[in-house]
């Protein structure tokens, strides 16, 4: 709103004081008294200039309505789909599980066998008849112990490295991004231009990566919207395989019969997927409409920036926690849920020595907090300068971690229930096989313990019968086609991503009482988790561009969403799922690692870690712990470099390809990318990181045309941002408004440092609408270049 000069003065006094030390750090000690004094804006000349009600005075930068709104925005951005379907998978892959679960050992010492160790099979007896009598005798004497598997990789083996890396990579770098955004009050482009213009490409690279991620991330929200819309029916459409009718008879859909009802529904009904990346198959109109709806939601929420998205955060950030808690309570009441949770927490820490566990934990920490995307910087730039961003960094990081643990508990509880359901079906089917084998005489009734009742057989009883038959019928056992039916076998089937959300978890919910209600809640939770992350991702694109090029946020938001939807149509082809995999693997991982490494180097080496610590002290009102000094300067860059090298090696060792769904076989098959697919993969990585060298070369070699009266007239020279002597009247994109050097007064460190220049068309404000000390003033040409 328009303000008179006195109102402007009162609002600007506090801002002027903040960076006095930066402006005067090159002065001698004789000016100490001056440095400690307040700088006052001399409006003596301004008194003669009436600021009309309709004058063009740049409004203040938008701000959060409350601290809670800001925290929820950061939590919503950092807590996303990966917390639900990636973190539990890594706990299971590098944690939960049982070794030797496929080997069926008996765990007792038979007579005459010395020193038989647990977990090793007993030596076969001489004859089959004596075998049967021996095993039955062992059972009757209580010497038999049900076969089990040795505990192996534990969730603790993954959680410990995760917490350690959260402390040395996650929190310090998250704190760093919050600090620079809050201090400089710009988006990612403006922040890194301020730190070092030659490294300004870091901000542009962040925007490119954000755009790539937004393209396919919103497709996942579209998938969730489709499943959400299909959940309002009973029974759920993926509950059973569909029947196919022809002229003679009715039969189950072959593709579904070979796989499962939920798998068939995902690949055929939802995606209608093609057999390979090369077979586009045309657009899937259902998913096209869902993608359009997803982009409309994002556009409407972001069109007013944080003024509109901030209010939505109250629901989108908090609702997932309500759903997770409800699922946890419901899951713990289900039969078999504790089997899944025990499977998660079996302790064995030897696996911590494996480099793979640390690399995957570091990668998860890195992406869980949204480092390098620019969303963290954009959100924090709307904070007050004296906000305690250190507290915010620690709080959001641990909220993110505990959310991941909560989601993992929910997932394992539900998967434990699902494993018990499948195990009961397995036991029933194999018990019927055993009864048939007993009737036809392939098995002797003497093998079966007398207390076994096949009409109501328990899992332990079945395991007992299975082990006896396996030991007695050693050579003939494979021909009997009996299955082990161990819960651990089902729990060891590690699934992640879409396989967890749209297949495994969806199948488990079909066995819930009131399954449509839980399905609606689950997919609405996924939509909200995705939208929270999308808000931060889009903010990482919109805010830097608006700050730099001064375009209208509403127009830019609409254009960005329209362009993204148009390009995103490649993801809703029948082969679109393969493109999602391609973008997920190649568009973000390496570019973001490089971006965050450069961010760390820009602060610790280029800007100077000591100066940055002083800035933090000035901004926060206290000195951050020296722990961060050593993390930023030494530990975090080294850890990130190791992670980058490990990721490159992993990418080199893994053949580039994707898992294709083969309709005829009703199973996944690994296929290599075609040559044009490899070109796209490489292009994604190059395009994402290309702005860094381009901006470095252009500004290092002064290739920007400074003679044109356009945006290029802002020159960047070793940490200084000054306006060139050209007429930019009406061009709000210039960082500094002022006169040409010949008309400027000599440097005068008096009260009128920030006064409005005579004849200037507007108040001499910084880009955020204030007298921002963070930017060098054009009337201070002799200031040392090292002082930003």
């Amino acid at each position: 709103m328009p303000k008179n000069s006195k109102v402007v003065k009162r609002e600007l006094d506090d801002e002027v004081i903040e960076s006095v030390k930066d402006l005067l750090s090159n002065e001698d000690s004789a000016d100490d008294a001056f440095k400690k004094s307040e700088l006052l804006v001399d409006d003596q000349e301004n008194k003669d200039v009436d600021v009309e009600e309709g004058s063009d005075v740049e409004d203040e930068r938008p701000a959060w309505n409350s601290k809670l709104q800001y925290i929820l925005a950061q939590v919503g951005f950092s807590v996303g789909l990966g917390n639900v379907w990636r973190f539990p998978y890594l706990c299971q892959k590098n944690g939960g599980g049982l070794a030797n679960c496929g080997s069926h050992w008996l765990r007792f010492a038979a007579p005459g066998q010395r020193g038989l160790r647990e977990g090793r099979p007993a030596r076969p007896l001489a004859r089959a008849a004596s075998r049967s009598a021996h095993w039955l005798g062992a059972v009757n004497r209580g010497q038999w112990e049900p076969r089990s598997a040795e505990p192996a990789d534990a969730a603790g083996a993954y959680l410990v490295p995760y917490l350690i890396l959260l402390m040395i990579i996650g929190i310090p770098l998250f704190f760093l991004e919050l600090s620079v955004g809050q201090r400089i009050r710009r988006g990612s482009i403006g922040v890194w231009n301020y730190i070092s213009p030659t490294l300004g490409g870091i901000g542009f690279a962040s925007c490119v990566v954000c755009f790539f991620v937004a393209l396919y991330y919103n497709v996942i929200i579209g998938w969730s919207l489709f499943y959400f819309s299909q959940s309002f029916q009973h029974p759920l459409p993926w509950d059973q395989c569909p029947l196919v009718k022809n002229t003679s008879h009715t039969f189950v859909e072959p593709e579904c019969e070979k796989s499962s009802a939920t798998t068939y529904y995902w690949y055929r009904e939802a995606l209608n997927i093609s057999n390979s990346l090369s077979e586009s198959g045309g657009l899937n109109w259902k998913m096209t409409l869902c993608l359009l709806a997803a982009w409309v939601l994002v556009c409407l929420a972001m069109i007013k920036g944080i003024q509109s998205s901030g209010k939505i955060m109250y629901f989108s950030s908090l609702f997932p926690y309500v759903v997770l808690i409800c699922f946890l309570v419901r899951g713990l009441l289900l039969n078999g849920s504790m089997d899944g949770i025990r499977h998660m927490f079996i302790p064995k820490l030897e696996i911590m020595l494996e480099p793979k566990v640390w690399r995957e934990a570091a990668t998860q920490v890195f992406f869980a907090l949204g480092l390098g995307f620019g969303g963290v910087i954009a959100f924090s730039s709307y904070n007050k300068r004296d906000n305690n961003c250190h507290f915010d960094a620690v709080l959001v990081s641990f909220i993110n971690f505990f959310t991941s643990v909560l989601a993992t508990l929910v997932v394992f509880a539900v998967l434990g229930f699902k494993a018990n359901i499948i195990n009961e079906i397995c036991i029933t089917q194999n018990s019927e096989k055993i009864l048939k084998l007993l009737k036809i005489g392939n098995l002797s009734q003497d093998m079966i313990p007398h207390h076994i009742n096949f009409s109501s057989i328990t899992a332990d009883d079945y395991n007992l019968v299975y082990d006896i038959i396996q030991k007695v019928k050693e050579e003939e056992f494979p021909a009997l086609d009996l299955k082990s039916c161990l819960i651990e076998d089902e729990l060891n089937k590690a699934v992640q991503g879409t396989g967890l959300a749209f297949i495994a978890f969806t199948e488990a919910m079909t066995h819930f009482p009131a399954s449509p209600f839980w399905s609606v809640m689950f997919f609405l939770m996924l939509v909200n988790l995705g939208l929270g992350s999308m808000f931060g991702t889009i903010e990482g694109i919109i805010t830097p561009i608006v700050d730099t090029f001064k375009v209208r946020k509403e127009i830019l938001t609409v254009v960005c969403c329209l362009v993204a939807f148009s390009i995103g149509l490649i993801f809703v082809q029948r082969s679109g799922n393969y493109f999602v995999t391609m973008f997920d693997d190649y568009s973000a991982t390496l570019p973001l690692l490089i971006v965050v490494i450069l961010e760390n180097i820009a602060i610790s080496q280029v800007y100077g870690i000591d100066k940055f610590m002083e800035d933090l002290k000035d901004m926060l009102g206290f000195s951050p712990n020296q722990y961060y000094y050593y993390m930023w300067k030494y530990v975090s860059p080294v850890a990130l470099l190791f992670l980058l090298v490990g990721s490159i090696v992993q990418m080199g060792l893994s053949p580039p390809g994707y898992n294709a769904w083969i309709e005829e076989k009703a199973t996944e098959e690994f296929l290599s990318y075609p040559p044009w697919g490899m070109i796209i993969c490489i292009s994604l990585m190059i395009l994402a990181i290309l702005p860094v060298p381009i901006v470095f070369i252009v500004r290092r070699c002064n290739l920007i045309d400074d003679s044109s009266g356009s945006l290029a007239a802002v020159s960047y020279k070793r940490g200084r941002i000054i306006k060139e002597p050209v007429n930019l009247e009406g061009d709000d994109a210039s960082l500094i408004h002022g006169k040409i050097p010949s008309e400027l007064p000599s440097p005068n460190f008096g009260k009128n440092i920030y006064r409005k220049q005579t004849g200037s068309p507007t108040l001499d404000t910084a880009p955020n609408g204030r007298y921002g000390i963070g930017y060098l003033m054009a009337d201070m040409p002799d200031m040392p270049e090292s002082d930003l």
Side-chain angles (χ1 to χ4, degrees):
M1 296 177 60
K3 305 180 180 67
N4 60 38
S5 59
K6 292 186 178 180
V7 174
V8 172
K9 174 184 177 301
R10 284 196 301 270
E11 291 185 353
L12 299 180
D13 281 348
D14 292 338
E15 296 297 326
V16 170
I17 299 169
E18 286 187 347
S19 297
V20 174
K21 187 178 295 184
D22 289 344
L23 287 173
L24 303 178
S25 58
N26 61 309
E27 294 299 297
D28 53 34
S29 57
D31 291 327
D32 285 344
F34 172 75
K35 293 179 183 179
K36 296 178 183 178
S37 64
E38 295 185 0
L39 283 178
L40 301 176
V41 177
D42 183 7
D43 59 351
Q44 185 65 34
E45 296 181 25
N46 293 346
K47 292 178 181 178
D48 300 329
V49 182
D50 293 332
V51 181
E52 298 294 333
E53 191 169 331
S55 62
D56 291 331
V57 178
E58 191 178 353
D59 290 341
E60 287 188 7
R61 187 175 184 81
W64 298 102
N65 291 336
S66 66
K67 181 67 174 284
L68 176 61
Q69 190 181 80
Y70 165 67
I71 293 296
L72 289 178
Q74 291 287 14
V75 169
F77 176 52
S78 64
V79 175
L81 297 173
N83 297 75
V84 174
W85 67 28
R86 176 69 178 170
F87 190 90
Y89 162 76
L90 291 175
C91 279
Q92 185 176 18
K93 177 184 175 184
N94 300 312
L98 299 176
N100 300 328
C101 60
S103 303
H104 312 293
W105 310 118
L106 286 176
R107 301 179 62 186
F108 81 101
Q113 294 182 339
R114 295 182 302 164
L116 183 65
R117 289 176 292 179
E118 228 177 42
R120 294 185 60 183
R123 296 176 184 175
L125 301 180
R127 300 181 184 276
S130 60
R131 285 197 198 104
S132 178
H134 169 65
W135 300 126
L136 285 173
V139 171
N140 295 331
R141 292 190 299 272
Q143 293 177 300
W144 182 87
E145 186 177 342
R147 71 194 147 90
S148 61
E150 293 297 324
D153 315 338
Y158 176 74
L159 294 180
V160 172
Y162 185 91
L163 277 173
I164 293 174
L165 292 167
L166 182 66
M167 298 300 296
I168 67 174
I169 293 180
I171 294 178
L173 295 179
F174 194 62
F175 181 30
L176 184 146
E177 290 200 352
L178 290 179
S179 301
V180 296
Q182 180 175 310
R183 177 67 174 179
I184 303 173
R185 294 176 63 80
R186 310 291 283 175
S188 56
I189 296 177
V191 160
W192 302 113
N193 277 339
Y194 171 82
I195 297 298
S196 175
T198 54
L199 294 178
I202 297 175
F204 289 99
S206 293
C207 289
V208 173
V209 174
C210 277
F211 185 72
F212 284 161
V213 171
L215 288 177
Y216 72 86
Y217 202 86
N218 222 23
V219 176
I220 301 173
I221 298 178
W223 294 342
S224 302
L225 285 173
F226 174 77
Y227 268 79
F228 172 74
S229 66
Q230 298 299 307
S231 298
F232 294 91
Q233 49 187 306
H234 184 75
L236 292 170
W238 49 83
D239 186 33
Q240 294 179 347
C241 286
L243 298 178
V244 179
K245 296 181 180 179
N246 59 18
T247 55
S248 58
H249 62 284
T250 302
F251 58 92
V252 177
E253 171 65 46
E255 185 180 3
C256 184
E257 190 176 22
K258 294 176 184 177
S259 53
S260 68
T262 51
T263 304
Y264 171 81
Y265 191 86
W266 166 242
Y267 284 114
R268 190 55 50 212
E269 297 293 337
L271 299 181
N272 193 20
I273 199 166
S274 61
N275 285 348
S276 70
L277 184 69
S278 302
E279 303 175 23
S280 67
L283 290 178
N284 181 340
W285 68 268
K286 293 181 290 187
M287 289 305 168
T288 303
L289 292 178
C290 290
L291 179 63
L292 177 62
W295 276 115
V296 169
L297 286 175
V298 172
C299 184
L300 292 177
M302 297 298 301
I303 197 164
K304 293 291 185 181
I306 64 170
Q307 303 301 329
S308 55
S309 64
K311 296 179 177 62
I312 300 174
M313 293 295 179
Y314 288 107
F315 179 78
S316 65
S317 296
L318 293 177
F319 179 75
Y321 290 95
V322 175
V323 176
L324 285 175
I325 292 173
C326 291
F327 262 99
L328 180 61
V329 173
R330 185 68 187 92
L332 292 176
L333 298 176
L334 296 172
N335 180 38
S337 60
M338 296 309 299
D339 293 327
I341 293 177
R342 276 195 300 268
H343 183 80
M344 171 184 172
F345 284 109
I346 296 173
K348 187 174 183 182
L349 303 181
E350 290 84 351
I351 195 173
M352 284 179 57
L353 301 177
E354 297 183 14
K356 175 195 67 162
V357 177
W358 290 85
R359 181 180 60 81
E360 293 186 340
T363 303
Q364 180 64 16
V365 168
F366 185 84
F367 288 104
L369 294 175
L371 300 175
F373 281 95
V376 174
I377 295 176
F379 279 151
S380 65
S381 71
Y382 299 113
N383 269 333
K384 296 180 180 179
R385 289 182 188 270
D386 59 351
N387 174 62
N388 188 349
C389 55
H390 174 257
F391 172 80
D392 300 342
V394 176
L395 177 64
V396 173
S397 298
F398 278 101
I399 288 177
N400 185 290
F401 170 71
F402 287 116
T403 304
S404 299
V405 174
L406 173 62
T408 304
L409 287 172
V410 171
V411 168
F412 274 91
V414 173
L415 292 183
F417 165 71
K418 171 177 171 282
N420 268 271
I421 295 291
I422 294 176
N423 196 55
E424 289 175 3
I425 296 173
C426 176
I427 290 174
T428 301
Q429 293 175 344
N430 283 271
S431 296
E432 293 174 356
K433 287 184 181 180
I434 294 175
L435 287 174
K436 291 180 181 178
L437 293 172
L438 288 172
K439 288 180 180 179
I440 63 177
N442 285 7
L443 293 178
S444 171
Q445 188 66 45
D446 295 336
M447 295 182 184
I448 309 302
H450 299 296
H451 69 280
I452 299 297
N453 181 5
F454 282 103
S455 61
S456 59
I457 189 170
T458 64
D460 289 339
D461 287 343
Y462 175 79
N463 291 336
L464 170 62
V465 173
Y466 181 92
D467 287 333
I468 293 175
I469 295 175
Q470 183 189 34
K471 289 304 172 182
V472 174
K473 295 282 188 178
E474 286 184 342
E475 292 80 8
E476 300 89 351
F477 183 78
L480 299 179
D481 193 27
L482 295 177
K483 296 182 180 178
S484 58
C485 297
L486 285 173
I487 293 178
E488 289 79 9
D489 290 342
E490 190 64 31
L491 289 173
N492 280 332
K493 295 178 181 178
V495 288
Q496 65 167 323
T498 55
L500 175 63
F502 299 109
I503 298 178
F505 213 88
T506 305
E507 181 178 354
M509 286 188 296
T510 59
H511 301 289
F512 280 24
S515 55
F517 168 77
W518 294 104
S519 183
V520 167
M521 294 285 283
F522 177 72
F523 289 109
L524 186 58
M525 178 191 71
L526 292 187
V527 170
N528 279 276
L529 285 173
L531 286 176
S533 297
M534 275 297 296
F535 294 158
T537 304
I538 297 298
E539 198 69 52
I541 302 171
I542 301 297
T543 298
I545 296 177
V546 169
D547 287 345
T548 304
F549 301 106
K550 303 301 177 186
V551 297
R552 287 196 60 181
K553 178 167 285 188
E554 295 86 349
I555 297 175
L556 179 61
T557 302
V558 173
V559 170
C560 179
C561 291
L562 282 175
V563 172
F565 169 73
S566 301
I567 299 176
L569 292 177
I570 66 173
F571 301 109
V572 290
Q573 305 174 94
R574 291 184 59 196
S575 59
N577 189 44
Y578 307 139
F579 283 97
V580 170
T581 302
M582 176 191 293
F583 272 66
D584 190 39
D585 289 341
Y586 292 96
S587 68
T589 306
L590 290 183
L592 278 180
L593 277 172
I594 295 173
V595 164
V596 176
I597 289 173
L598 291 176
E599 287 181 357
N600 200 332
I601 293 174
I603 292 296
S604 61
Q605 304 299 327
V606 178
Y607 185 77
I609 190 66
D610 295 307
K611 183 172 177 59
F612 186 64
M613 294 294 284
E614 285 295 318
D615 289 343
L616 289 179
K617 181 180 179 181
D618 178 58
M619 181 174 69
L620 301 177
F622 63 89
S623 297
N625 194 290
Q626 284 296 106
Y627 168 82
Y628 292 103
Y629 178 92
Y630 294 106
M631 289 296 108
W632 287 328
K633 191 168 185 178
Y634 304 110
V635 180
S636 294
V638 173
L640 287 172
L641 285 173
F642 273 111
L643 179 57
L644 177 63
V645 172
S647 299
I648 294 174
V649 171
Q650 176 67 20
M651 188 172 290
L653 295 177
S654 302
Y658 59 99
N659 289 320
W661 179 258
I662 309 301
E663 182 177 1
E664 295 75 18
K665 300 178 182 178
T667 185
E668 287 186 334
E669 184 176 307
F670 184 82
L671 299 179
S672 298
Y673 285 118
W676 61 267
M678 287 302 304
I679 293 175
I680 294 177
C681 294
I682 296 172
S683 300
L684 288 174
M685 292 187 289
I686 294 177
L687 287 174
I689 206 64
L690 195 60
V692 175
I694 288 180
V695 173
F696 180 84
I697 293 172
V698 166
R699 291 178 178 169
R700 190 71 176 178
C701 301
N702 292 321
L703 300 181
I704 297 179
D705 181 10
D706 295 338
S707 61
S708 65
S710 64
L711 294 174
V714 179
S715 66
Y716 303 83
K717 298 180 181 178
R718 296 184 57 192
R720 304 185 68 189
I721 307 178
I722 61 175
K723 180 178 176 295
E724 287 296 308
V726 294
N727 182 18
L728 289 180
E729 184 173 352
D731 184 0
D732 288 334
S734 60
L735 296 181
I736 303 300
H737 294 291
K739 288 189 170 184
I740 60 175
S742 61
E743 298 175 347
L744 293 175
S746 59
N748 178 13
F749 295 103
K751 294 170 60 179
N752 58 352
I753 290 178
Y754 299 101
R755 70 170 182 242
K756 176 179 177 291
Q757 297 295 328
T758 304
S760 177
T762 62
L763 289 178
D764 193 12
T765 59
N768 57 11
R770 302 172 178 234
Y771 288 77
I773 303 185
Y775 297 87
L776 291 182
M777 298 300 159
D779 57 352
M780 300 173 116
D782 296 326
M783 180 173 290
E785 293 180 346
S786 60
D787 285 325
L788 298 180

